[in-house]
Structures are given as C-alpha cells and as structure tokens.
C-alpha cells in the first residue's frame, strides 16, 4: 500500500479525522462492496464517535448484487443507513445527498422549528486508501478536483465543495487504515487491487483468490477456465495448487517438462479477477466468521 501505517501514522490520521468531525454534520464511510469487512477500519466506531454516518458501498459494479443486498440488510440491522454505488460511472451516487438529508431530517426540522434558516449539510468522506474516495468526491462535485492528502491545520487550505443544492463536502477525505495485521484481510485487499503486489507475493495472492473463489464461485471459475473437478476440500492446499495448475495448463502457461508456470498463471488469475472477468464477486458475506466483526 502506498501508505505505511505505523502506530504514529494511525494516531495522526485519527486526530486529523477527529478534527474534521468538528466541522461536519455527517460522515460518509466508504467501503469496498466486494470486501466490506476487510475494507473497514477496525476503530471506526471509536473514531466517528456517534457522528451521524452513511455507509457507502462503493465499487458495487464489481460486487455480487445478491451479496450487496445482504450487506445492506446487515448494516440496516446494525442501525446504519447504507447505499451501494458505482463512483466510476456515477450509478446511484445521486442517492447519497438524499440519504444524508434523510438521516439529518430531525436536526433540520429542529432548526426550522426554532425559526432558523437551515444551513447546508456539511459532509466528510472517510475510507481506506483505494476505496474510491477521490473518485466519489469528483463524481459528487460533477467535476475534477485536485485532491491532495491531508495538510497540517484543519481549516487552512481545505475547501467546501457544493454538492447539489444544500450539501457541502470537504475536499480532503479522511484517510483510514485497514485491519492489515490480519493476514486474511491483507490478502483480500490485495485480491481487489487495494494493496499493491510489491508488498505481497503474486503467487500467494492468487492462491488465496483461488481458494476463496473455489469455495464461493466455483461455477464461475470453472466456466471461465474450462475446469472439470472442483477441489474436494478448499482447505487442502494441494487441491488449490492443483486447480491453479489446471488453470495454467488451460492458459498455456507451461515451462520445461510440462510443468506449469505458477507465477504467470497467478498473474492471469489476478488480472481477470480485478478486471471483473470472473464476474461480479464478493469475498465476504455478512455472517462469515472472521476477525474484525463487531457482533
Ligand atoms: P482513493 O481516493 O480512496 O485512494 O481511491 P481512488 O478514488 O483513487 O480510486 C481507486 C481506484 O478505484 C481507481 O482506479 C478508481 O477509478 C477505481 N474506482 C473508484 N470507484 C470505483 C467504482 O465505483 N467502480 C469501479 N469499477 N472502480 C472504481 P485507477 O485510477 O484505475 O487505479 P488503479 O486501478 O490503477 O489502482
């Protein structure tokens, strides 16, 4: 990942967001719809500290629509409003201002009852790197805005962008860190392309990808690579390597002696996965047993 998160960085990032929270009415918590748990900051509740929040499942164009529906229900059950959007094309991005107003309607009604003219709702986007914060800001603004990282001093250099008639968005998003100390989280983020390959080995990422996909989406990968038998046990590493070798053979990734070039095969699998060629895939279901869960 571009940013190395050491404890000092986390403390600074947390403080920067908490300073910005003083300026806003609502936070838009951006998650990757393919990995809503792995793309979630482990301290988000503590950081947002009861600030009204809208959960935005971004990249929903790449996620399994049924899984996205389950996630929306899950977050609703947790007491959060949630929308699923595709910031790259703008699909459903227009729902965000409407939902924000809905969440804050009581506050707005109180201001009106006091005879006040309600001012614009002020919002901040928060999320881990690569989740699509800049893309969403540009999409909401309807133009390209040069988005820079955090600068020292909260109010200096930051600007409010008018989004629709009565919402203002802070032009610098809050950058959060994932629960990367968890190996599975790291691999899931790497599968989606959120963590660059220099950090984790390509073969290992592809191995995890095939293991996850064989469990959840076997018909999709068997069709894409013309595979016969599913692994008997997805927890058996030899079985997963056998599937990778089958894929390599189908794609002509061979080295001397009829052996499969696993590195080349891994590259193909990851490119296909990230480009959506394996279909719309979600790697986490709401009630999976996995670290980082809140319930
Ligand atoms: P960030 O500010 O949170 O760090 O993320 P950013 O907006 O830069 O988005 C990261 C990548 O994700 C970008 O791809 C962007 O186009 C893509 N992206 C953002 N939102 C969506 C979405 O809703 N759907 C899809 N399909 N893609 C989205 P990129 O610039 O090509 O970067 P990369 O692919 O080279 O890593």
């Amino acid at each position: 990942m571009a940013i190395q998160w050491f404890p000092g960085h986390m403390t600074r990032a947390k403080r920067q967001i908490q300073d910005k929270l003083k300026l806003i009415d609502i936070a838009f918590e951006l998650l990757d719809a393919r990995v809503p748990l792995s793309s979630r900051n482990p301290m988000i509740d503590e950081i947002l500290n009861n600030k009204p929040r809208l959960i935005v499942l971004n990249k929903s164009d790449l996620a399994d629509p049924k899984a996205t529906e389950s996630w929306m229900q899950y977050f609703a059950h947790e007491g959060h409003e949630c929308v699923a959007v595709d910031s790259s094309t703008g699909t459903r991005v227009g729902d965000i201002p409407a939902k924000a107003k809905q969440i804050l309607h009581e506050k707005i009604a109180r201001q009106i009852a006091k005879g006040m003219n309600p001012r614009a709702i002020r919002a901040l986007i928060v999320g881990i790197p690569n989740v699509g914060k800049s893309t969403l800001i540009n999409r909401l603004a309807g133009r390209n805005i040069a988005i820079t990282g955090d600068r020292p001093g909260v109010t200096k250099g930051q600007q409010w962008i008018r989004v629709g008639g009565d919402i203002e968005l802070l032009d610098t998003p809050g950058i959060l860190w994932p629960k990367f100390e968890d190996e599975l989280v790291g691999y899931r983020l790497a599968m989606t392309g959120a963590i660059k390959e220099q950090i984790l080995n390509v073969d290992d990422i592809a191995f995890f990808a095939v293991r996850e996909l064989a469990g959840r989406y076997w018909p999709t990968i068997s069709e894409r690579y013309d595979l016969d038998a599913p692994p008997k046990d997805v927890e058996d590493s030899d079985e997963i390597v056998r599937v990778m070798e089958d894929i390599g053979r189908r794609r002509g990734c061979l080295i001397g002696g009829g052996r499969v070039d696993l590195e080349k095969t891994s590259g193909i699998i990851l490119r296909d996965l990230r480009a959506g060629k394996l279909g719309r895939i979600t790697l986490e279901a709401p009630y999976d047993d996995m670290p980082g869960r809140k319930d």
Side-chain angles (χ1 to χ4, degrees):
M1 205 173 302
I3 302 170
Q4 296 287 323
W5 292 103
F6 297 112
H9 292 124
M10 292 184 199
T11 307
R12 200 165 63 228
K14 189 173 152 197
R15 280 202 197 124
Q16 271 166 344
I17 291 186
Q18 285 173 335
D19 279 346
K20 290 177 189 200
L21 289 180
K22 294 176 194 147
L23 308 174
I24 58 142
D25 303 300
I26 186 164
F28 299 152
E29 184 194 356
L30 211 53
L31 303 178
D32 185 322
R34 297 166 295 174
V35 282
L37 281 178
S38 292
S39 59
R40 201 162 202 207
N41 175 271
M43 295 171 69
I44 190 67
D45 289 344
E46 184 188 325
I47 292 171
L48 293 184
N49 186 25
N50 292 330
K51 183 63 79 175
R53 170 184 351 179
L54 172 63
I55 293 181
V56 180
L57 293 173
N58 193 37
K59 307 198 187 187
S60 63
D61 54 308
L62 300 172
D64 179 338
K66 272 201 201 131
T68 300
E69 195 47 49
S70 315
W71 277 110
M72 307 252 307
Q73 284 168 11
Y74 168 80
F75 286 120
H77 184 71
E78 259 202 347
H80 296 303
E81 291 287 340
C82 177
V83 285
V85 307
D86 166 6
S87 298
S88 62
T89 61
T91 305
R92 303 207 81 89
V93 164
D95 292 358
I96 295 175
K99 278 275 184 191
K101 277 187 238 168
Q102 194 185 316
I103 293 168
L104 295 171
H105 80 275
E106 278 179 19
K107 186 175 175 182
I108 296 168
R110 272 199 306 275
Q111 287 174 342
I112 294 173
K114 281 188 200 155
M116 289 158 69
N117 214 356
R119 62 163 173 75
I121 291 172
R122 294 194 148 177
L124 170 72
I125 290 179
V126 298
I128 66 167
N130 280 312
V131 73
K133 297 179 296 301
S134 314
T135 312
L136 179 60
I137 291 176
N138 287 329
R139 187 57 68 180
L140 280 167
R143 64 197 153 93
N144 274 352
I145 296 179
I147 293 157
T148 52
D150 266 314
R151 285 156 290 194
V154 165
T155 42
K156 259 186 271 162
Q158 290 181 99
Q159 287 181 11
W160 296 101
I161 309 163
R162 206 76 183 176
V163 174
D166 37 17
I167 298 210
E168 289 178 344
L169 187 65
L170 205 57
D171 71 345
T172 52
I175 302 173
L176 291 164
W177 62 96
K179 194 174 189 293
F180 57 84
E181 66 273 25
D182 186 297
E183 189 187 51
L184 194 55
V185 169
Y187 281 108
R188 285 184 176 162
L189 290 174
M191 281 177 228
T192 63
I195 292 181
K196 300 293 171 224
E197 275 155 23
Q198 296 87 292
I199 294 183
L200 296 167
N201 180 293
V202 177
D203 297 13
D204 289 340
I205 305 168
F207 174 89
F208 269 84
V210 170
R211 199 177 75 177
E212 303 261 296
L213 297 177
R216 292 181 194 274
Y217 294 97
W218 177 256
T220 317
I221 56 166
S222 69
E223 190 182 327
R224 170 86 189 165
Y225 300 117
D226 193 19
L227 305 174
D228 307 319
K232 289 187 203 80
D233 175 7
V234 290
E235 297 304 324
D236 180 344
S237 306
D238 291 344
E239 283 277 301
I240 301 303
V241 172
R242 178 190 58 77
V243 173
M244 291 174 77
E245 287 173 343
D246 285 350
I247 296 173
R249 267 185 225 101
R250 295 286 190 225
R251 285 289 181 269
C253 304
L254 296 173
I255 34 179
R259 280 185 307 129
V260 173
D261 182 341
L262 272 183
E263 196 176 337
K264 198 167 168 199
T265 308
S266 298
I268 290 176
I269 296 168
L270 291 179
R271 264 197 307 281
D272 283 354
L273 174 64
R274 291 172 189 159
K277 290 191 178 152
L278 299 179
R280 296 174 67 176
I281 278 171
T282 300
L283 297 169
E284 294 166 350
Y287 295 101
D288 278 355
D289 181 20
M290 103 161 248
R293 296 193 55 87
K294 302 237 174 62
D295 52 359

